[in-house]
Amino acid sequence: MMMDDDMENGSLGPFQDQPRTFPNMRSKPYVPLVFRVLMGINVRVLFVLCLLGLAVIFYIGASTSRIIVFVFSICIITFVFSVYLSKWVLAKDEGPPEMAQISDAIRDGAEGFFRTQYGTISKMACLLALVIFSIYLFRSTTPQQESSGIGRATSAYITVAAFLLGALCSGVAGYVGMWVSVRANVRVASAARRSAREALQVAVRAGGFSAIVVVGMAVIGIAILYSTFYVWLGVDSPGSMKVTDLPLLLVGYGFGASFVALFAQLGGGIYTKAADVGADLVGKVEQGIPEDDPRNPAVIADLVGDNVGDCAARGADLFESIAAEIISAMILGGTMAQRCKIEDPSGFILFPLVVHSFDLVVSSVGILSIRSTRDSSVKVPMEDPMAILQKGYSVTIVLAVLTFGVSTRWLLYTEQAPSAWLNFALCGLVGIITAYVFVWITKYYTDYKHEPVRTLALASSTGHGTNIIAGVSLGLESTALPVLVISVSIVSAYWLGQTSGLVDETGNPTGGLFGTAVATMGMLSTAAYVLTMDMFGPIADNAGGIVEMSQQPESVREITDVLDAVGNTTKATTKGFAIGSAALASFLLFSAYMDEVAAFAHEPFKQVDIAIPEVFIGGLLGSMLIFLFSGWACSAVGRTAQEVVNEVRRQFIERPGIMEYKVKPDYGRCVAIVASASLREMIKPGALAIISPIMLGFMFRILGHYTGHPLLGAKVVAAMLMFATVSGILMALFLNTAGGAWDNAKKFIETGALGGKGSDTHKAAVTGDTVGDPFKDTAGPSIHVLIKMLATITLVMAPIFL
């Protein structure tokens, strides 16, 4: 290349004046096999196939319920809207050639890692599917399955098919999240050269495309699975399964989604934070160069990590959250309708699908409410991006309240309790308020406009140690308010459900658990917009890196810095949102687990007595699991970061010309290190999460068999699930908030406060940020996925505990 010839001839000028070329991590862009096959089909043939597919889907939906047809229609319309968003974003220019070259390097690295990571995950998923199939072939059946003629083999095929479909859809959701981020980052960077508002709009619409596809896939996937089983099994026909029992067949879908989300979050989190820590410790602290400086050998790996950790993993994470919540709510709705002898229970069962269909609509309106100025050439004062995003969120919340009320009146009205729908509408309002309060609390503790983060930044002025102490104490304190909010919301929703007027045959109120389920649906009724705000963060972060590496003017970097700081806050708020929804969803799944055990055991299973020593031990092991998992996740980041630090130091020593822009760093070496290490390191904590509940339940089942306690295994697993959920919520809140606060304390100092960049205060803040990196982007997000996966795996594996 020209650049190499110049180096050999000794005529290399300043690095800024040279054509900037960046190495591709792959020889050609990676496209998944499914998309390659579709791209190879003639356009007309593909169009006809799509029409036939839609016709089949709508035929199955019409054979099931008009509600399913409504859900299909909304999902398809919003998919069309997402195509519009993607075309709008991709129509934006990529800026000068050096920006496009950096973006290509990031894209190739991200897609290469995605292919390898998901190849590994798919192999593990197939192996686990065989295990599930074997267990279901030899397990006992429930009375409902026996009466409907569903044998062990049919049940095994259904569960495995649902598991694999959930895993596939979760993987596609992750790919969509990454696909848009690696193409939007350079367009946001280019838009920042013109105006902050335009850059904000591009980032939001790119995140909105991913969010709508993820939520839409979760909804339509469950709807297709439900309607297919309904038609195939002849549900509600004489001698067949009742519609109230059908949602239990969907549990495998949630487990598949959780399985992929956990490994995606672990692998992506280790990748992104190991690269980030290595780049910061050597680049900022030791060499004193800015963040995302092109002289840092780990900078490309860091930018790739934003996409595979924050975008791909978060897409799979929220997909799993919505799937688990929908399925658990459908199970509880069917159970309650059966106990109350409601004539048409389909409204109570399909209510979650309708709520999330409306979520797609109201979130789309919220995304469109964020617009740029008509004339980008007119320089206007820079608005606070967080305030603009909050306005969009407020619009979404107001519309969500209205559509939620319409949904409850339409689907939850019953002659047995004419005012029950109003109580459930209030349960939804409790959930929506809970979501808003969660976002506000997390914003208060992680935004540098508020006192906690500024106090943390001030602690950095007295050294590294005081920064760490202040950050840990802030994280511990931040757990109090969210727990109080969750507690109030659960009690309020349960009470509203109990007083709805719905009673069973003996006259006992039965709507309490379903009221909690409705509150969870209310909390997630704006999930698409919340995921949009989450995706906005890594896209803005990548845009800032591209601006810095391509040596753009300082005014452009100032815009991306502000967007990046806001992105850190939105990422933290959405993590808090995810934790809150995980707590409520786990509570629902725990109730479904107890119902499942009762069905298989042919006896009531309504409470767990922790005064029994074995049951208490199960709870203790559940809490231990959270801490051990967190420790392994953080240590994985630490070990991988050490490899990156050593590599970056080696390059600075062996290539002294890097600092003078005379020699270009070997970016590909750092990418290779973190890619291989993250895939290796994600196995151990992931295996711990899957094997622990199965082994624990099976061991205590054997013990119970010999001691005359046939339900001992199920009780021990229930205790493990309860304690793990409680410990996991607190741990995740602590890790996410502390990590986000450390990050934004550093950002606050980089605005010029307390000495600004390069000062001793800044170096102390960078240390705090590196400590918080594995907290907020690896262990913390993985824990709330772990909580829900434990709940789904115990539900799927319940027969082996008896």
Side-chain angles (χ1 to χ4, degrees):
M1 291 188 302
M2 182 73 70
M3 191 171 185
D4 295 331
D5 294 339
D6 288 342
M7 287 172 60
E8 292 177 4
N9 298 331
S11 60
L12 187 67
F15 188 74
Q16 297 96 320
D17 298 334
Q18 299 301 311
R20 286 180 280 274
T21 58
F22 294 84
N24 287 336
M25 311 311 167
R26 297 185 58 81
S27 58
K28 59 182 179 180
Y30 165 66
V31 180
L33 177 62
V34 174
F35 293 101
R36 291 203 300 271
V37 171
L38 292 176
M39 290 165 61
I41 301 175
N42 181 276
V43 176
R44 293 182 179 178
V45 174
L46 186 61
F47 179 73
V48 172
L49 290 175
C50 288
L51 287 180
L52 287 174
L54 287 175
V56 171
I57 288 173
F58 274 98
Y59 173 77
I60 294 174
S63 302
T64 306
S65 170
R66 57 190 174 88
I67 302 172
I68 291 289
V69 175
F70 173 80
V71 171
F72 284 160
S73 302
I74 294 294
C75 288
I76 290 168
I77 291 170
T78 50
F79 283 152
V80 172
F81 173 69
S82 70
V83 172
Y84 159 75
L85 288 180
S86 67
K87 287 184 175 294
W88 187 92
V89 171
L90 295 177
K92 295 290 182 179
D93 68 282
E94 295 187 351
E98 57 265 29
M99 278 189 174
Q101 290 170 349
I102 299 165
S103 176
D104 287 344
I106 296 169
R107 182 187 309 171
D108 292 338
E111 291 182 342
F113 176 74
F114 182 91
R115 180 181 186 180
T116 307
Q117 181 192 27
Y118 276 76
T120 304
I121 293 173
S122 63
K123 292 173 185 175
M124 293 189 293
C126 291
L127 180 62
L128 185 56
L130 289 175
V131 173
I132 295 172
F133 185 78
S134 302
I135 290 172
Y136 271 67
L137 275 181
F138 298 101
R139 72 168 199 170
S140 58
T141 56
T142 64
Q144 294 88 346
Q145 291 173 338
E146 291 174 359
S147 62
S148 58
I150 296 179
R152 294 176 180 177
T154 305
S155 179
Y157 282 120
I158 287 173
T159 305
V160 169
F163 172 80
L164 291 176
L165 181 62
L168 175 64
C169 290
S170 183
V172 173
Y175 180 74
V176 167
M178 185 206 65
W179 185 89
V180 68
S181 67
V182 297
R183 288 161 177 78
N185 50 18
V186 68
R187 290 168 171 83
V188 174
S190 179
R193 297 180 304 147
R194 295 184 289 273
S195 75
R197 188 68 181 254
E198 183 183 351
L200 172 69
Q201 186 183 21
V202 175
V204 167
R205 291 198 170 190
F209 162 76
S210 176
I212 288 171
V213 171
V214 167
V215 176
M217 279 188 59
V219 175
I220 201 169
I222 294 174
I224 289 174
L225 203 60
Y226 176 90
S227 54
T228 301
F229 288 161
Y230 187 97
V231 174
W232 176 40
L233 298 174
V235 173
D236 271 351
S237 58
S240 64
M241 174 177 281
K242 295 180 180 178
V243 70
T244 51
D245 298 323
L246 182 57
L248 284 170
L249 300 180
L250 308 178
V251 172
Y253 186 89
F255 181 32
S258 299
F259 177 83
V260 171
L262 180 68
F263 281 99
Q265 190 68 69
L266 275 172
I270 293 168
Y271 187 116
T272 183
K273 289 304 111 180
D276 196 3
V277 169
D280 283 354
L281 285 179
V282 183
K284 290 182 180 179
V285 178
E286 296 181 8
Q287 299 295 330
I289 59 178
E291 184 171 2
D292 299 325
D293 192 287
R295 293 170 290 180
N296 194 325
V299 66
I300 290 288
D302 183 11
L303 296 174
V304 169
D306 290 335
N307 295 285
V308 298
D310 288 333
C311 292
R314 197 74 73 249
D317 177 5
L318 197 69
F319 176 92
E320 175 268 338
S321 294
I322 293 171
E325 176 266 328
I326 289 176
I327 292 169
S328 59
M330 290 175 77
I331 292 171
L332 292 176
T335 302
M336 188 193 70
Q338 188 175 26
R339 289 175 179 169
C340 297
K341 303 296 182 184
I342 293 175
E343 185 176 345
D344 182 12
S346 60
F348 288 85
I349 296 171
L350 300 177
F351 180 67
L353 294 174
V354 173
V355 168
H356 284 292
S357 298
F358 279 124
D359 169 21
L360 292 168
V361 176
V362 300
S363 296
S364 299
V365 175
I367 292 165
L368 289 177
S369 69
I370 298 174
R371 307 179 66 85
S372 63
T373 52
R374 291 182 178 274
D375 187 359
S376 60
S377 64
V378 178
K379 298 297 181 182
V380 295
M382 188 173 179
E383 299 176 73
D384 179 10
M386 193 68 208
I388 297 171
L389 291 173
Q390 286 281 49
K391 288 178 184 176
Y393 187 47
S394 299
V395 169
T396 307
I397 287 244
V398 170
L399 293 176
V401 170
L402 296 175
T403 55
F404 207 95
V406 171
S407 301
T408 51
R409 180 62 180 82
W410 173 27
L411 299 174
L412 303 185
Y413 177 83
T414 174
E415 294 293 340
Q416 294 173 235
S419 63
W421 72 270
L422 184 58
N423 282 51
F424 291 127
L426 292 175
C427 290
L429 184 61
V430 167
I432 293 171
I433 293 171
T434 300
Y436 191 85
V437 173
F438 249 87
V439 168
W440 184 88
I441 291 171
T442 314
K443 179 174 175 289
Y444 173 74
Y445 278 108
T446 57
D447 193 336
Y448 64 59
K449 294 182 179 63
H450 301 291
E451 182 182 356
V453 173
R454 296 199 173 207
T455 303
L456 176 57
L458 184 62
S460 305
S461 63
T462 52
H464 301 251
T466 49
N467 170 279
I468 300 301
I469 293 170
V472 170
S473 62
L474 184 151
L476 293 171
E477 178 190 322
S478 69
T479 61
L481 285 177
V483 169
L484 292 174
V485 171
I486 291 174
S487 303
V488 170
S489 64
I490 289 176
V491 171
S492 301
Y494 189 88
W495 180 83
L496 285 167
Q498 283 291 88
T499 57
S500 64
L502 290 171
V503 295
D504 60 16
E505 293 176 315
T506 60
N508 295 319
T510 59
L513 282 176
F514 187 68
T516 309
V518 173
T520 310
M521 286 180 265
M523 189 170 186
L524 286 170
S525 62
T526 56
Y529 189 88
V530 171
L531 182 58
T532 298
M533 292 198 296
D534 185 82
M535 292 290 186
F536 164 85
I539 292 172
D541 191 358
N542 255 214
I546 292 172
V547 166
E548 182 69 34
M549 289 193 71
S550 60
Q551 310 279 311
Q552 297 300 310
E554 186 64 27
S555 59
V556 180
R557 180 70 208 197
E558 287 175 1
I559 289 174
T560 55
D561 278 347
V562 171
L563 295 179
D564 186 15
V566 170
N568 283 332
T569 302
T570 58
K571 284 193 291 183
T573 55
T574 50
K575 286 169 189 170
F577 173 89
I579 294 167
S581 64
L584 294 175
S586 298
F587 177 71
L588 302 181
L589 287 167
F590 178 76
S591 303
Y593 166 74
M594 297 185 76
D595 288 341
E596 180 86 338
V597 169
F600 279 106
H602 309 297
E603 62 179 274
F605 185 60
K606 296 184 178 180
Q607 57 187 9
V608 178
D609 186 1
I610 61 171
I612 299 173
E614 294 89 347
V615 176
F616 181 77
I617 289 171
L620 197 60
L621 291 174
S623 295
M624 177 274 291
L625 175 63
I626 297 297
F627 283 83
L628 182 60
F629 178 88
S630 303
W632 283 1
C634 289
S635 64
V637 174
R639 283 191 297 270
T640 309
Q642 288 175 31
E643 295 183 45
V644 177
V645 167
N646 291 332
E647 173 60 24
V648 174
R649 284 174 177 168
R650 182 192 66 79
Q651 291 197 33
F652 277 125
I653 292 170
E654 295 180 3
R655 302 182 180 191
I658 289 176
M659 290 300 292
E660 286 77 38
Y661 294 97
K662 294 179 180 178
V663 178
K664 187 163 58 178
D666 183 0
Y667 302 112
R669 178 62 186 153
C670 289
V671 170
I673 288 172
V674 291
S676 61
S678 58
L679 291 174
R680 181 179 67 250
E681 297 283 0
M682 75 178 185
I683 301 297
K684 188 168 74 169
L688 174 73
I690 294 170
I691 295 172
S692 296
I694 298 174
M695 291 296 295
L696 186 68
F698 189 69
M699 287 170 55
F700 279 95
R701 172 196 174 177
I702 295 173
L703 179 62
H705 175 73
Y706 286 106
T707 58
H709 297 87
L711 291 182
L712 185 62
K715 290 178 179 178
V716 169
V717 170
M720 182 214 71
L721 188 56
M722 283 193 296
F723 281 64
T725 300
V726 172
S727 301
I729 291 167
L730 293 172
M731 177 68 84
L733 284 169
F734 161 68
L735 295 175
N736 286 333
T737 309
W742 266 317
D743 196 348
N744 270 349
K746 178 198 70 176
K747 295 288 184 187
F748 176 60
I749 293 169
E750 288 174 351
T751 62
L754 302 172
K757 294 181 180 180
S759 64
D760 289 340
T761 302
H762 181 238
K763 290 180 178 179
V766 170
T767 300
D769 181 33
T770 55
V771 172
D773 276 341
F775 283 18
K776 67 183 175 67
D777 287 320
T778 307
S782 298
I783 286 172
H784 73 252
V785 178
L786 169 65
I787 293 170
K788 287 171 287 186
M789 199 194 76
L790 288 174
T792 53
I793 196 172
T794 52
L795 195 54
V796 171
M797 300 294 184
I800 69 171
F801 307 147
L802 301 171

